[in-house]
């Protein structure tokens, strides 16, 4: 049921108690007050779906509160209750925004009818909002780095105007979030934001998506359909990945941007629209214009106010903030136990190059929250980022003694050290130790440094005690199957690498 929280504003105590009890039987959370002051206080503290409001109250008229509520962006439905009802009074209340009107005394059946109507109305409104917002996640531009603050400042300056905006940036940087911020902070915020994903619509259908079509315009056009520009009338249209539209449609789009008018596919009537256009692209349109892949005149038409969204690697100060935000969001979504990131996990996140930008970070954190299971701390192993080539692994620190690249002659000191000379020929590339053996050696070295304290060793390694225990059990299992035990394996690895015991 959409109606969950209700306020009853009634100074008649018996009626207030009966109405509250009935609403609670309908599984509504009810706040009962006797005056306007109590109602205003409750509305300021919480969000309500429905208000049963008496007209005459000890501290004023209920219609005054009704008028106040109409100024709120998200206002509850209001049902007026009065003992001196008249047609004129009912009409005035409905004009001022009342959802329904009840004359005392009323029955419980009337209350149930009002609840049913309010529930259906609320559902229709929410479905309409969802269709208008489409894939809106509810996330905003997060971060405090100078780069993202500059984007916020530009959004605030441009949002209140009607200028066309071109948002450029790599995939996953949050271009659509910038577009939604422009719309929400604009005078058109109460009108719809209609998105068109130009890259996802086939070329033979994108014109119909933009401008609509008449019945019978082409095979399968069984009914007249309004295009996205018509649906966005009075609001904003977001042309996502505008660089992907065909050259033939670019010329038609240019006319719409210049004249704000078009004809439906198969139609002859000119339709005028009032829309603000925001375009996004992950390509350098200047280069596309030079290669004759994008019309130069269209580029200049959409590039009135350019906004560049920086990649995540250029605002590393925001990585941990975004990671914590995503962590708490996905914990609520999936019902997991993770509460924080370990210190070593934070180091891995800030050192990663993030080629997929914020979207990649979001996916990594969601995966880590799920893989963490019952653990309250997310460890590096849960991120599954250790295999990336741009991340230097701590376990490889002793290996630079093996000369894999020539050393400049000027750097070698006068009395050359004889030790490095035999290392290179003794370590051919084919015999280079595999990663799992380096991992095993690294674990043994950590245990020796921590005097076999597994808890402390796990903390040093940046893994959980359970992971460390599983690794040691795995090595013990190898020993039981005829392989060396932990101490023998450690000695063998030291000898293979040409290193002295840690």
């Amino acid at each position: 049921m959409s109606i969950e929280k209700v306020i009853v504003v009634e100074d008649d105590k018996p009626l207030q108690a009966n109405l509250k009890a009935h609403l609670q039987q309908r599984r509504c959370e009810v706040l009962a007050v006797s005056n306007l002051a109590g109602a205003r206080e409750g509305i300021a503290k919480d969000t309500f779906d429905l208000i049963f409001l008496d007209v005459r109250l000890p501290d004023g008229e209920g219609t005054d509160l009704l008028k106040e509520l109409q100024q709120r962006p998200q206002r509850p439905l209001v049902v007026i209750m009065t003992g001196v009802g008249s047609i004129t009074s009912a009409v005035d209340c409905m004009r001022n925004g009342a959802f329904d009107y009840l004359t005392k005394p009323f029955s419980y059946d009337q209350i149930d009818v009002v609840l049913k109507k309010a529930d259906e109305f609320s559902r229709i409104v929410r479905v309409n909002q969802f269709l208008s917002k489409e894939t809106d996640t509810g996330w905003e531009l997060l971060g405090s780095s100078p780069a993202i603050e500059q984007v916020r400042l530009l959004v605030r300056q441009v949002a209140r105007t009607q200028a066309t905006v071109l948002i450029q940036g790599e995939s996953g940087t949050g271009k659509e979030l910038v577009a939604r911020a422009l719309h929400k902070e604009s005078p058109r915020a109460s009108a719809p934001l209609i998105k068109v994903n130009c890259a996802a619509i086939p070329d033979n259908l994108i014109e119909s998506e933009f401008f609509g079509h008449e019945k019978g315009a082409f095979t399968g056009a069984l009914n007249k359909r309004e295009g996205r520009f018509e649906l966005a009338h009075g609001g904003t249209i977001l042309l996502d990945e505008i660089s992907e539209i065909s050259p033939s449609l670019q010329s038609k789009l240019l006319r719409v941007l210049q004249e704000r008018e078009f004809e439906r596919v198969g139609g002859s009537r000119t339709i005028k629209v009032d829309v603000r256009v925001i375009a996004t692209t992950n390509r350098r349109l200047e280069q596309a214009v030079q290669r004759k892949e994008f019309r130069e005149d269209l580029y200049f038409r959409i590039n009135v106010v350019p906004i560049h969204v920086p990649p995540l690697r250029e605002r590393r100060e925001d990585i941990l903030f975004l990671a914590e935000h995503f962590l708490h969001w996905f914990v609520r979504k999936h019902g997991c136990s993770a509460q924080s990131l370990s210190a070593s996990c934070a180091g891995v996140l800030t050192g990663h190059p993030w080629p997929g930008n914020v979207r990649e970070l979001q996916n990594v954190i969601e995966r880590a929250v799920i893989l963490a299971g019952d653990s309250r701390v997310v460890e590096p192993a849960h991120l599954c980022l250790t295999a990336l080539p741009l991340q230097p692994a701590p376990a490889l620190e002793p290996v630079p003694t093996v000369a894999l690249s020539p050393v400049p002659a000027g750097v070698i000191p006068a009395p050359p050290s004889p030790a490095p000379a035999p290392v290179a020929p003794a370590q051919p590339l084919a015999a280079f130790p595999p990663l799992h053996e380096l991992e095993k050696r690294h674990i043994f070295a950590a245990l020796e440094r921590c005097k076999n304290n597994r808890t402390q060793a796990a903390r040093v390694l940046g893994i959980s005690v359970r992971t460390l225990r599983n690794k040691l059990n795995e090595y013990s299992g190898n020993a039981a199957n005829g392989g060396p035990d932990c101490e023998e394996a450690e000695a063998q690895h030291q000898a293979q690498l040409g290193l002295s015991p840690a």
Side-chain angles (χ1 to χ4, degrees), residues 223-243:
N223 298 292
K224 180 183 72 174
R225 180 182 178 183
E226 294 181 343
R228 303 293 179 93
F229 274 90
E230 278 186 85
L231 294 176
H233 179 69
T236 305
I237 186 167
L238 171 58
L239 305 179
D240 194 20
E241 302 301 345
I242 192 173
S243 58

Side-chain angles (χ1 to χ4, degrees), residues 3-38:
I3 305 301
E4 298 177 354
K5 293 185 177 182
V6 182
I7 298 182
V8 175
V9 189
E10 174 60 63
D11 58 340
D12 186 340
K13 291 296 183 180
L15 177 58
Q16 180 193 100
N18 291 335
L19 183 54
K20 178 179 179 179
H22 184 72
L23 292 171
Q24 288 176 334
Q25 290 179 356
R26 297 297 182 265
R27 298 183 179 180
C28 295
E29 183 178 339
V30 184
L31 172 65
V33 296
S34 302
N35 50 44
L36 294 177

Side-chain angles (χ1 to χ4, degrees), residues 5-10 29-54 57 61-80:
K5 293 185 177 182
V6 182
I7 298 182
V8 175
V9 189
E10 174 60 63
E29 183 178 339
V30 184
L31 172 65
V33 296
S34 302
N35 50 44
L36 294 177
R40 292 189 178 101
E41 182 180 356
I43 293 171
K45 293 181 179 179
D46 203 350
T47 301
F48 292 87
D49 305 308
L50 185 64
I51 297 181
F52 286 91
L53 180 61
D54 191 14
L57 294 163
E61 296 289 327
T63 52
D64 295 336
L65 179 60
L66 174 63
K67 295 176 182 177
E68 293 176 15
L69 292 173
Q70 304 313 304
Q71 308 303 319
R72 298 171 63 92
Q74 293 184 346
R75 52 186 178 271
L77 302 177
V78 180
V79 177
I80 295 295

Side-chain angles (χ1 to χ4, degrees), residues 457-490:
R459 187 180 303 112
V460 170
L461 292 168
I463 61 177
S464 66
V465 177
R466 177 187 295 179
T467 301
L468 177 59
R469 183 172 62 250
N470 292 340
K471 291 289 184 182
L472 294 177
N473 289 338
E474 177 184 339
Y475 305 150
S476 299
N478 292 338
N481 293 328
D485 62 15
C486 293
E487 294 180 357
E488 294 174 347
E490 167 64 2

Side-chain angles (χ1 to χ4, degrees), residues 323 326-327 330 341 349 361-369 383:
F326 291 144
L327 183 143
F330 286 120
L341 303 168
L349 291 174
L361 174 61
Q362 171 190 331
N363 294 340
V364 166
I365 296 301
E366 182 174 13
R367 177 171 63 239
V369 166
L383 300 175

Side-chain angles (χ1 to χ4, degrees), residues 1 6 13 73 90 97 116 140 143 153 169 173 182 217 226 230 246 262 272 292 297 332 341 355 362 374 459 494:
M1 185 174 181
V6 182
K13 291 296 183 180
K116 182 178 179 181
E140 300 178 354
L153 176 61
T173 52
L182 284 167
E226 294 181 343
E230 278 186 85
S246 63
F262 58 90
K272 293 185 175 291
K292 306 299 182 183
D297 48 2
R332 292 194 299 270
L341 303 168
Q362 171 190 331
D374 296 333
R459 187 180 303 112
Q494 298 286 354

